Amino acid sequence: MLQKVLYQHERNPDLQLRKTVLNDLEQLFEFQTDKEGIHQAAFTPKDPTDKNAYLAKYEKILQDPSTNNQTILLDNVIVGSMAKFILNGKTEITYWIDSKYWGKGIATKALSAFLEMMTDRPVFGRVTFDNFGSQKVLEKCDFVKVGENKGFANARQEEIVEFIYELN
């Protein structure tokens, strides 16, 4: 099922969310090997370039009924992904946008539409202390910063702070 998202841009492109399918994983994997994206996400697998591990993980995740994985399409081109999952009994969201599309409002529009689809509340989002773009996305979607946590970030090989946001 496609969910159309209103998206205003000089060309007026069509932004949509649709359930992620196995065929999407190849493209989504490529986004998650982007060095700047890896740095911003920080809490990545030890080897984010291990395609076999990525595919095995997401093949399982896509079968998990407690998750909701959506592929973000712009003019029918895959530009990112968004997901709801349960972590330690709490509903969390995550998203990844191809770095070529950063700063265009795509994450904000897609997250707004995604939150309309899911009724789980509260929902939490986590973002590194220095990922100002994602912090703005969460805040524009009415998430409020409620805490912080320190953890080891594989992508940076050090312990860093992540902010915890909540939407009620």
Side-chain angles (χ1 to χ4, degrees):
M1 180 177 104
L2 287 176
Q3 176 163 353
K4 292 206 176 212
V5 181
L6 294 177
Y7 179 79
Q8 296 302 317
H9 187 273
E10 55 272 0
R11 295 185 302 107
N12 199 23
D14 187 21
L15 187 68
Q16 300 175 337
L17 298 177
R18 74 159 157 71
K19 186 167 179 57
T20 300
V21 296
L22 288 176
N23 288 341
D24 296 340
L25 296 180
E26 292 281 335
Q27 184 64 52
L28 297 174
F29 171 77
E30 290 303 317
F31 298 155
Q32 295 193 36
T33 61
D34 176 79
K35 288 185 191 303
E36 190 175 358
I38 291 169
H39 180 80
Q40 289 297 327
F43 297 96
T44 60
K46 286 185 180 180
D47 181 4
T49 64
D50 184 342
K51 189 175 189 176
N52 289 331
Y54 175 88
L55 293 174
K57 174 183 175 182
Y58 280 92
E59 285 172 5
K60 279 185 178 177
I61 287 173
L62 292 179
Q63 296 174 25
D64 181 348
S66 71
T67 67
N68 179 0
N69 290 269
Q70 298 284 315
T71 298
I72 304 167
L73 301 152
L74 183 65
D75 291 335
N76 293 312
V77 174
I78 296 174
V79 297
S81 63
M82 190 154 295
K84 176 220 79 150
F85 60 98
I86 306 299
L87 181 66
N88 299 323
K90 294 183 178 181
T91 301
E92 302 230 2
I93 54 99
T94 187
Y95 50 89
W96 194 295
I97 306 296
D98 179 2
S99 62
K100 292 184 288 196
Y101 296 94
W102 290 357
K104 299 181 185 304
I106 292 169
T108 303
K109 300 268 190 295
L111 181 55
S112 291
F114 187 70
L115 292 168
E116 287 178 21
M117 290 174 15
M118 56 175 279
T119 58
D120 305 49
R121 298 293 186 271
V123 62
F124 295 88
R126 297 170 181 266
V127 61
T128 58
F129 71 97
D130 58 354
N131 187 339
F132 304 114
S134 276
Q135 290 172 37
K136 286 181 187 176
V137 168
L138 292 171
E139 290 165 1
K140 286 180 182 179
C141 292
D142 298 324
F143 281 77
V144 175
K145 186 164 57 167
V146 294
E148 59 182 55
N149 192 26
K150 276 190 174 180
F152 186 78
N154 286 322
R156 301 185 190 185
Q157 287 298 295
E158 65 180 327
E159 187 174 82
I160 65 168
V161 172
E162 68 177 345
F163 295 144
I164 303 166
Y165 284 79
E166 180 178 6
L167 176 68
N168 282 306

